[in-house]
């Protein structure tokens, strides 16, 4: 064979250059394929990191929106609202610690021209802490207008004192936003930076919502205008809002640029709609707040939308590709190219030898057959290990679900029950004496009941407690729940009463039933389901039959569908069999059987035999 190879691959023969050319093409193709695959994987990871950062921003925006709603609810809860109430409420929020981006909160009072003097007198009386400046407070800008929306309360106390008495509706742009806020009853976010607070790459924005008189209907525009008492708003720093977001991305050199693409105006009142306005740039500085975005083939870039209370924001994330590559990613394509080249050379040599010498081909075939058998044996052994590992994983997961459900029931459930008793006592004692307190206590009691119901549902989803009553009871409960939830008629055929089987077997059959019913409600469009349980010869058989549309061609091998595969794996682990029968427009039948008697409880012992602190590999 070596002689044939030397003769065939001499540099003076055509076969040598043909082999080198083909191997080079294969090596280059493998290099390009591997390089593109690594780049796509890196890009996917980059996009996932960006989406996570975007979700962090969304959560923060929601928390600041909730702060505004809570403040509006506090103002609305009192008929005679005072400066002291507002001050104490904001002090209790601990703004600097819990909402570090908020610079101040203010409440603007709505009143008409005939109420102007009363507002000014009350403003001066309440702001005595300003000293001599309190008597100089007045509505500004000056001028007579039919109605005013003047700032009456600002927290932190004394901050931005020049805003006391400022008529927000005197500004044409903000006046339109406030009237829309009042008529629509929605939160309005300003698209124009707050001039006195903002600086290069240090933008401050405002967000406001209307406050209506409590107990007055606000179903249409006329009713909302009649019930309108004022507007509450916050001023916040965009850089502080985004502080720490990039640090949550485990990639170096990531750049984040936040832009407002909706309607906005500059400080001179010019409409800049359609021109993206940069609110924040992590690479920006005071001298160059908006440097050009990086571009080119060596940069990953993705743009994600963000809804800021009706305003259209965009976040642009960019990072050099090298930051997403590992050391392996850099040399792996070259390594694959080398393997492809030399592997192709060897394959070409093998094919040449096979066509040249029948004896060499037979010898090589025997060698390959021997290696193939060894690989098959290893593959079978590996498959058995994987199934044992899957069995172990199933048991660990079910035990963990059972443990979590028990801890939720014993700890959180008892705490919720104790909390409900206290709330019910408060509801009973406040009845007839404290109407508003009774109403709130009653609402709290209802919320606790809803939470208890949710906790019970979570416990049942983790591991239904009815499994402790046996498989038959669990099957009946699951089928009844399915029928009640979907409206599909169900029948159960179980002539053996309660079946005594090991817990892990019962759990496996129960999960198979759950998966089967889930497949029916998702795909079958059935109106009737029949579930049968049969025990004979030490084998338990369960059949789930529906009258739906049946499985489509190649339905069992559909990419990304693991329902039937999971059922088969569960039953094979138990040493059983699984059969699926389906005809188009004639329903589907799933039949599983497994031995359930005379089986030692070895699976649970594998877990229990280890001492605390040991690891099971």
């Amino acid at each position: 064979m070596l002689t044939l190879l030397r003769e065939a691959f001499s540099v003076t023969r055509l076969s040598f250059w043909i082999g080198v050319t083909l191997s080079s093409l294969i090596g280059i193709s493998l290099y390009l394929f591997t390089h593109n695959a690594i780049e796509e994987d890196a890009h996917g990871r980059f996009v996932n990191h960006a989406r996570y950062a975007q979700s962090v921003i969304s959560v923060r925006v929601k928390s600041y929106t909730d702060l505004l709603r809570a403040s509006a609810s506090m103002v609305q809860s009192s008929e005679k609202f005072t400066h002291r109430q507002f001050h104490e409420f904001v002090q209790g929020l601990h703004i600097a610690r819990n909402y570090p981006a908020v610079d101040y909160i203010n409440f603007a009072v709505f009143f008409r021209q005939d109420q102007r003097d009363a507002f000014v007198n009350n403003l001066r009386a309440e702001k005595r802490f300003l000293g001599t400046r309190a008597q100089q407070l007045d509505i500004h800008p000056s001028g007579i207008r039919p109605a005013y929306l003047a700032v009456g309360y600002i927290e932190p106390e004394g901050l931005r004192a020049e805003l006391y008495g400022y008529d927000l509706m005197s500004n044409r742009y903000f006046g339109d936003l406030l009237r829309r806020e009042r008529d629509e009853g929605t939160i309005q976010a300003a698209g124009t930076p707050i001039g006195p607070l903002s600086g290069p790459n240090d933008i401050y924005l405002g967000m406001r919502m209307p406050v209506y008189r409590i107990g007055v209907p606000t179903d249409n525009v006329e009713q909302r205008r009649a019930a309108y008492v004022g507007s509450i708003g916050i001023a916040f720093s965009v850089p502080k809002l985004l502080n720490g977001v990039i640090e949550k991305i485990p990639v170096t050199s990531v750049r984040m640029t936040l832009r407002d693409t909706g309607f906005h105006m500059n400080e001179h009142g010019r409409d800049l709609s359609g021109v993206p306005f940069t609110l924040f740039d992590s690479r920006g500085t005071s001298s160059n707040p908006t440097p050009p975005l990086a571009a080119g083939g060596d940069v990953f870039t993705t743009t994600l939308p963000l809804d800021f209370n009706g305003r259209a924001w965009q976040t642009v994330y960019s990072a050099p590709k090298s930051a997403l590559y590992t050391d392996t990613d850099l040399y792996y394509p070259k390594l694959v190219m080398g393997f492809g080249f030399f592997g192709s050379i060897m394959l070409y040599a093998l094919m040449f030898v096979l066509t040249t010498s029948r004896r060499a081909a037979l010898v090589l075939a025997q060698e390959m057959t021997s290696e193939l058998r060894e690989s098959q044996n290893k593959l079978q052994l590996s498959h058995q290990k994987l199934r044992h590992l899957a069995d172990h994983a199933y048991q660990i997961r079910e035990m963990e679900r059972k443990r979590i459900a028990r801890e939720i029931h014993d700890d959180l459930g008892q705490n919720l029950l104790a909390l409900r008793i206290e709330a019910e006592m408060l509801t009973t004692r406040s009845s007839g004496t404290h109407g508003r307190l009774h109403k709130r206590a009653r609402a709290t009691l209802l919320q606790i009941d809803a939470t208890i119901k949710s906790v019970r549902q979570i416990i049942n989803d983790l591991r239904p407690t009815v499994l402790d009553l046996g498989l038959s009871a669990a099957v009946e409960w699951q089928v009844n729940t399915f029928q009640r939830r979907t409206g599909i008629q169900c029948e159960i055929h179980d002539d053996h009463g309660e079946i005594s089987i090991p817990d892990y077997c019962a759990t496996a059959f129960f999960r198979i039933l759950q998966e089967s019913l889930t497949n029916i409600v998702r795909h079958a469009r059935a109106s009737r389901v029949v579930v049968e349980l049969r025990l004979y010869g030490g084998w338990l058989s369960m059949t789930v039959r529906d009258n739906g549309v049946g499985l489509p061609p190649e339905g069992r091998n559909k990419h990304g569908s693991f329902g039937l595969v999971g059922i088969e794996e569960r039953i094979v682990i138990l040493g059983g069999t699984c059969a699926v029968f389906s005809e188009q427009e004639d329903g589907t039948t799933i039949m599983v059987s497994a031995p359930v008697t005379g089986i030692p409880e070895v699976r649970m012992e594998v877990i229990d035999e280890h001492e605390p602190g040991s690891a099971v590999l």
Side-chain angles (χ1 to χ4, degrees):
M1 181 184 296
L2 293 177
T3 302
L4 290 173
L5 287 174
R6 282 194 295 268
E7 292 178 356
F9 289 96
S10 173
V11 295
T12 59
R13 297 180 65 91
L14 179 62
S15 58
F16 172 80
W17 296 109
I18 292 176
V20 170
T21 302
L22 291 176
S23 299
S24 299
L25 291 175
I26 293 174
I28 293 172
S29 299
L30 289 175
Y31 174 84
L32 295 175
F33 175 80
T34 306
H35 180 270
N36 292 336
I38 291 175
E39 183 169 318
E40 290 177 2
D41 178 69
H43 182 263
R45 286 187 279 112
F46 170 73
V47 172
N48 288 335
H49 292 322
R51 287 175 178 170
Y52 172 72
Q54 195 77 341
S55 67
V56 173
I57 298 175
S58 298
V59 170
R60 292 187 179 181
V61 168
K62 183 179 183 304
S63 68
Y64 282 71
T65 304
D66 292 340
L67 167 65
L68 191 61
R69 294 183 186 277
S71 302
S73 177
M74 185 276 301
V75 174
Q76 189 182 38
S77 65
S78 177
E79 290 290 343
K80 295 182 179 180
F81 185 67
T82 65
H83 170 80
R84 182 51 50 190
Q85 288 176 312
F86 191 68
H87 175 73
E88 292 176 353
F89 172 76
V90 176
Q91 287 292 314
L93 291 176
H94 299 290
I95 298 294
R97 183 181 66 215
N98 298 323
Y99 305 95
V102 173
D103 190 68
Y104 63 86
I105 303 177
N106 68 81
F107 175 61
V109 182
F110 176 78
F111 56 92
R112 304 195 180 276
Q113 170 59 27
D114 57 353
Q115 300 169 316
R116 172 175 176 150
D117 293 339
F119 171 80
V120 172
N121 293 334
N122 183 64
L123 182 67
R124 293 173 178 175
E126 283 192 331
K127 305 304 181 292
R128 291 176 182 172
F129 59 85
L130 295 176
T132 57
R133 290 186 298 168
Q135 297 305 315
Q136 300 173 0
L137 296 178
D138 202 346
I139 296 176
H140 57 94
S142 59
I144 303 301
R145 292 178 286 276
Y148 305 86
L149 186 65
V151 176
Y153 306 94
I154 303 175
E155 288 294 333
E157 190 176 63
L159 183 67
R160 310 295 302 173
E162 68 274 9
L163 293 180
Y164 285 122
Y166 180 75
D167 183 11
L168 298 179
M169 283 192 174
S170 63
N171 182 291
R172 179 177 61 85
Y173 170 67
F174 289 110
D176 292 340
L177 285 179
L178 291 169
R179 280 184 282 273
R180 187 185 313 142
E181 163 202 305
R182 175 197 63 192
D183 295 343
E184 297 178 359
T186 57
I187 294 177
Q188 294 293 330
T192 301
I194 301 175
L197 300 178
S198 300
N201 204 36
D202 187 16
I203 301 298
Y204 277 79
L205 296 178
M207 183 168 56
R208 306 194 69 87
M209 73 173 294
V211 178
Y212 302 103
R213 188 175 294 106
I214 190 169
V216 179
T218 57
D219 299 328
N220 52 52
V221 174
E222 290 75 14
Q223 291 178 348
R224 284 191 283 270
R225 288 180 178 177
Y228 186 62
V229 297
S231 172
I232 192 162
I234 61 174
F236 63 92
S237 167
V238 176
K240 291 180 181 178
L241 178 69
L242 303 179
N243 182 38
V245 173
I246 296 182
E247 284 72 9
K248 295 182 180 295
I249 302 179
V251 179
T252 59
S253 304
V254 176
R255 177 180 179 181
M256 179 175 67
T257 304
L258 180 63
R259 303 185 298 186
D260 189 332
T261 59
F263 171 77
H264 58 275
M265 301 174 67
N266 62 10
E267 63 274 11
H268 304 294
R270 181 183 176 186
D271 184 4
L272 297 179
S273 300
V275 179
F277 176 66
T278 301
L279 299 172
F280 173 75
D281 194 320
S282 62
R283 297 286 178 84
T285 61
S286 58
S287 59
N288 186 16
T290 56
L293 293 176
D298 58 344
V299 177
F300 286 134
T301 303
T302 184
T303 302
L304 300 177
L306 181 65
D307 180 17
F308 182 68
N309 293 300
R311 296 203 62 82
W313 282 7
Q314 283 184 346
T315 311
V316 181
Y317 298 91
S318 59
K321 292 182 179 180
S322 58
L324 276 297
Y325 292 153
T326 64
D327 294 338
T328 304
D329 294 336
L330 296 176
Y331 66 79
Y332 188 70
K334 299 178 182 179
L335 183 64
V336 171
M337 180 178 66
F339 278 125
F341 177 79
F342 290 108
S344 300
I345 285 287
M346 296 303 297
L347 182 61
Y348 181 77
L350 178 62
M351 294 177 61
F352 184 84
V353 171
L354 288 175
T355 57
T356 305
S357 174
R358 182 174 180 272
R359 178 178 298 176
L362 292 176
V363 172
L364 183 60
Q366 292 176 356
E367 294 176 355
M368 293 178 64
T369 301
S370 176
E371 293 178 357
L372 180 61
R373 288 175 179 173
E374 183 179 359
S375 299
Q376 288 178 340
N377 293 334
K378 292 181 178 179
L379 181 61
Q380 290 179 354
L381 180 61
S382 176
H383 190 61
Q384 291 176 359
K385 290 181 179 179
L386 285 176
R387 281 190 169 165
H388 286 307
L389 180 60
D391 183 17
H392 185 66
Y394 283 142
Q395 301 304 318
I396 292 294
R397 183 172 62 184
E398 292 298 335
M399 288 180 62
E400 189 64 13
R401 284 183 170 183
K402 185 176 181 180
R403 183 189 66 79
I404 293 173
R406 182 174 63 249
E407 290 185 0
I408 291 176
H409 177 273
D410 294 344
D411 190 359
L412 182 57
Q414 296 302 321
N415 290 338
L416 285 174
L417 182 59
L419 184 59
R420 188 190 187 283
I421 293 173
E422 294 294 332
E424 188 172 14
M425 291 175 62
L426 179 59
T427 303
T428 303
R429 292 182 179 180
S430 61
S431 176
T433 58
H434 300 82
R436 185 173 297 174
L437 178 60
H438 176 72
K439 182 179 179 180
R440 289 183 177 269
R442 185 62 184 172
T444 302
L445 186 60
L446 294 176
Q447 184 65 35
I448 293 173
D449 288 340
T451 304
I452 292 175
K453 184 177 179 181
S454 299
V455 169
R456 289 174 178 170
Q457 183 61 42
I458 292 172
I459 292 174
N460 273 333
D461 289 342
L462 286 171
R463 187 182 188 277
T465 54
V466 72
L467 267 174
D468 297 331
L469 302 178
L471 178 61
S472 297
V475 168
E476 183 177 0
W477 172 82
Q478 179 64 31
V479 170
N480 290 337
T481 302
F482 174 81
Q483 178 173 290
R484 183 170 58 256
R485 177 169 53 88
T486 63
I488 299 176
Q489 181 183 357
C490 300
E491 294 181 16
I492 302 176
H493 297 164
D494 182 4
D495 300 332
H496 298 274
E498 184 52 52
I499 302 173
S500 177
I501 61 175
D503 180 70
Y504 73 91
C505 291
T507 302
F509 273 86
F510 181 77
R511 296 301 183 193
I512 290 172
L513 176 61
Q514 279 187 323
E515 184 63 34
S516 301
L517 295 178
T518 299
N519 289 338
I520 290 173
V521 76
R522 285 182 178 174
H523 311 293
R525 299 199 294 273
S527 61
R528 184 171 178 270
V529 177
V530 177
V531 179
E532 297 181 4
L533 282 176
R534 294 288 184 269
L535 182 64
Y536 53 92
W539 283 64
L540 178 62
S541 173
M542 182 173 68
T543 304
V544 181
R545 183 183 301 109
D546 67 73
N547 63 345
V549 297
L551 287 174
E554 303 299 326
R556 295 184 62 180
N557 299 321
K558 182 180 178 181
H559 178 70
S561 178
F562 302 99
L564 293 177
V565 175
I567 291 175
E568 292 175 354
E569 283 299 316
R570 283 183 179 273
I571 204 64
V572 169
I573 287 173
L574 296 179
T577 60
C578 175
V580 180
F581 308 96
S582 179
E583 294 290 338
Q584 287 292 314
E585 305 299 332
D586 196 26
T588 302
T589 300
I590 298 177
M591 179 182 294
V592 294
S593 300
V596 295
T597 59
I599 302 177
E601 293 281 353
V602 295
R603 291 170 172 81
M604 302 305 295
E605 292 174 0
V606 172
I607 301 170
D608 295 336
E609 68 182 2
H610 294 275
E611 295 298 330
S614 64
V616 181
L617 301 181

